[in-house]
């Protein structure tokens, strides 16, 4: 089948969103399902169908969502209502919208983890420590499943 | 004009510390946040205000609780909305700044009489983003209907509105741009959102006539 000429193709927009918490490992398909559920629930089947949301890729703590031109504001609002992906609590923070993926890649800043103590005890619970720039500290409860996460700063840890 | 998130619930009520939530709020475009609970914190780049919430079944109980030292220390005093008579009475209490949880009340619980009194007394109505973000289906539709109803009363009577994320975690905080999009769902214009986000500043520091102090 011959592709349509460029003038007849559907115009697309790409939305770059950051995945929080920083270390979250999420599957692209699961993100797509979460985004589609959020869009359908918020905008309805008709509007979500016309917007054609799709997850292009999901890497380095960022996700790029594709939609039809003109619907990017609706999809960005729908992204802000995504609260979990495959039972894992996450948030999608919209960073930028563009007509090309290339432009969005320039906005993707790698999230580097800093070194420091690896473990801390709060109450009776042990937490793994993940440090990030601007004195941000994420604590993840040590365990196998359904670990609790806490979001602190260096100053909070020093006070304890 | 200070852009304020009118209600966050840090650790131990939530999973994020005040400092971390303040840091995230600054990154999301806010100038100040109201922390619900008895927590004092100084954060560079963002003002942290203290908020106290009164949940009461009767007006008598509200009048008793506003004399509580923890409530007196607070910069902003919130009261959880109730039935129609409760709401009409509570907006005329001088110490009350904001009526919240309006989405959880029955239809017409906040009516034109309460709206007029709120406008006269300068009492704000809080619009929480938490129900829009977390609820789905009929419950979210109901919350959107309540907010649209409050907005139509606000346009008629001119009482202040506040917007809060109701976040218990940094994962529940939303940027100013995202709040604009979410508020557009029930018909709130961009200028109205800006006005609502800055109304906490006017509640904390109201405009008064200049007094000459000798």
């Amino acid at each position: 089948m011959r592709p349509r000429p460029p003038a007849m193709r559907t115009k697309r927009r790409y939305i770059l969103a950051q995945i929080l918490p920083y270390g979250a490992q999420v599957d692209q398909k699961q993100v797509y399902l979460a985004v589609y559920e959020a869009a359908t629930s918020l905008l309805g089947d008709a509007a979500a169908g016309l917007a054609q949301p799709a997850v292009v890729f999901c890497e380095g703590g960022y996700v790029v969502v594709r939609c039809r031109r003109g619907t990017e504001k609706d999809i960005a609002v729908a992204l802000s209502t995504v609260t979990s992906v495959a039972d894992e609590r996450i948030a999608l923070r919209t960073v930028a919208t563009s007509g090309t993926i290339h432009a969005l890649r320039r906005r993707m800043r790698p999230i580097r983890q800093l070194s420091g103590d690896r473990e801390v005890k709060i109450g009776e619970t042990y937490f793994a420590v993940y440090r990030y720039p601007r004195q941000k500290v994420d604590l993840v409860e040590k365990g196998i499943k359904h670990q609790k996460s806490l979001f602190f700063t260096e100053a909070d840890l020093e006070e304890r | 004009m200070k852009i304020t998130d009118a209600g966050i619930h840090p650790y131990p009520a939530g999973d994020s510390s005040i400092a971390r939530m303040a840091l995230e709020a600054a990154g999301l475009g806010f100038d100040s946040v109201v922390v619900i609970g008895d927590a004092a914190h100084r954060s560079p780049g963002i003002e942290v205000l203290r908020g106290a919430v009164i949940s009461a079944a009767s007006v008598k109980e509200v009048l008793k609780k506003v004399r509580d030292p923890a409530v007196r220390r607070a910069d902003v005093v919130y009261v959880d909305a109730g039935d129609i008579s409760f709401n009409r009475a509570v907006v005329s209490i001088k110490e009350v700044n904001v009526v919240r949880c309006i989405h959880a009340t029955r239809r017409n619980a906040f009516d034109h009489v309460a709206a007029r009194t709120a406008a006269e007394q300068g009492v704000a109505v809080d619009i929480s983003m938490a129900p829009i973000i977390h609820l789905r289906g009929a419950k979210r539709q109901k919350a959107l209907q309540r907010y649209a109803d409050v907005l139509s009363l606000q346009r008629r009577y001119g009482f202040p509105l506040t917007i809060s994320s109701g976040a218990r975690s940094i994962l529940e905080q939303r940027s100013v741009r995202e709040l604009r999009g979410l508020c557009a769902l029930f018909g709130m214009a961009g200028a109205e959102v800006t006005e609502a986000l800055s109304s906490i500043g006017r509640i904390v520091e109201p405009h008064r006539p200049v007094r000459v102090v000798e």
Side-chain angles (χ1 to χ4, degrees):
Chain A
M1 194 177 73
R2 285 186 61 189
R4 284 188 178 185
M8 288 181 70
R9 285 180 204 158
T10 317
K11 301 289 184 287
R12 304 288 176 88
R13 280 288 177 270
Y14 300 90
I15 303 167
L16 176 68
Q18 190 176 25
I19 301 171
L20 285 182
Y22 293 126
Q25 298 293 325
V26 287
D27 178 46
Q28 183 178 330
K29 191 174 179 184
Q30 295 297 333
V31 176
Y32 166 74
L33 292 172
V35 169
Y36 209 87
E37 185 275 331
T40 308
S41 161
L42 190 71
L43 309 170
D45 288 338
L50 286 174
Q52 298 173 2
V55 174
V56 181
F57 65 85
C58 182
E59 63 185 38
Y62 289 91
V63 58
V64 170
V65 178
R66 186 182 67 204
C67 62
R68 274 177 70 148
R69 190 173 70 179
T71 63
E72 60 269 20
K73 280 186 182 169
D74 294 337
I75 295 300
V77 173
L79 290 183
S80 68
T81 66
V82 174
T83 54
S84 65
V85 169
D87 292 337
E88 191 179 351
R89 283 180 68 216
I90 65 142
L92 298 177
R93 294 255 170 88
T94 308
V95 177
T97 305
S98 176
T100 63
I101 295 172
H102 181 74
L104 293 182
R105 280 194 189 275
R106 285 200 296 257
R107 301 288 296 269
M108 289 170 66
R109 297 203 178 92
I111 300 149
R112 60 192 169 86
Q113 203 177 308
L114 306 176
S115 58
D117 292 343
R118 292 272 167 212
E119 193 178 276
V120 69
K121 189 183 177 191
I122 295 176
E124 294 299 310
T125 317
Y126 285 91
F127 289 87
V129 181
Y130 299 95
R131 287 182 163 78
Y132 297 99
R134 299 186 66 202
Q135 303 213 325
K136 293 177 183 178
V137 180
D138 290 1
L139 307 174
V140 181
E141 187 183 355
K142 290 210 157 186
I144 301 165
K145 216 175 175 186
H146 301 302
Q147 299 105 316
K148 188 178 161 190
S149 294
L150 296 175
F151 305 100
F152 284 6
T153 61
E154 288 287 0
D156 295 320
L157 273 193
E158 283 164 16
E159 282 171 19
R160 284 170 198 282
Chain B
M1 188 174 70
K2 280 184 177 170
I3 301 295
T4 308
D5 184 342
I8 57 169
H9 305 261
Y11 185 82
D15 65 10
S16 308
S17 68
I18 301 175
R20 182 66 183 271
M21 290 185 101
L23 196 65
E24 295 289 338
L28 293 170
F30 290 95
D31 301 312
S32 59
V33 288
V34 181
V35 172
I36 307 293
D38 200 16
H41 177 76
R42 280 179 178 277
S43 186
I46 190 161
E47 190 181 359
V48 179
L49 301 167
R50 197 180 292 177
V53 175
I54 298 172
S55 291
S58 66
V59 181
K60 204 174 170 183
E61 207 177 326
V62 175
L63 288 167
K64 194 178 161 191
K65 283 184 176 176
V66 290
R67 290 191 214 110
D68 191 75
V71 176
R72 278 170 176 266
R73 273 200 305 273
D75 298 305
V76 187
V77 178
Y78 297 84
V79 174
D80 285 339
D83 60 11
I84 187 165
S85 57
F86 178 87
N87 293 342
R88 282 181 181 185
V90 92
V91 291
S92 59
I93 298 172
K94 202 179 81 180
E95 289 85 357
V96 173
N97 299 125
V98 183
V99 177
R100 69 195 279 273
C101 290
I102 211 83
H103 66 274
T105 58
R106 290 174 70 91
R107 201 173 142 197
N108 294 331
F110 190 84
D111 65 348
H112 64 286
V113 178
R116 192 182 298 141
T117 314
E120 285 166 6
Q121 299 287 328
V123 174
V125 175
D126 183 52
I127 290 178
S128 173
M129 290 296 114
I132 302 178
I133 293 168
H134 296 284
L135 299 180
R136 295 285 189 268
K139 285 182 179 173
R140 178 155 65 183
Q141 289 166 22
K142 191 182 150 194
L144 288 168
Q145 282 169 16
R146 288 288 171 284
Y147 290 159
D149 190 39
V150 166
L151 186 63
S152 67
L153 287 169
Q154 193 274 335
R155 284 173 180 159
R156 176 76 176 80
Y157 295 101
F159 56 86
L161 290 176
T162 62
I163 296 175
S164 64
S165 65
R168 290 176 186 272
S169 166
I170 58 159
L171 304 179
E172 294 170 14
Q173 287 180 282
R174 295 292 179 267
S175 68
V176 175
R177 187 171 37 177
E178 286 168 333
L179 293 185
R180 276 184 216 287
L182 290 166
C183 288
L185 293 171
F186 53 87
M188 205 169 182
E192 288 172 323
V193 175
T194 309
E195 178 91 8
L197 286 170
S198 60
S199 58
I200 285 287
R202 287 192 293 277
I203 289 168
V204 175
E205 291 167 5
H207 291 295
R208 291 201 177 102
V210 177
R211 283 193 312 157
V212 178
V213 182
E214 291 179 17

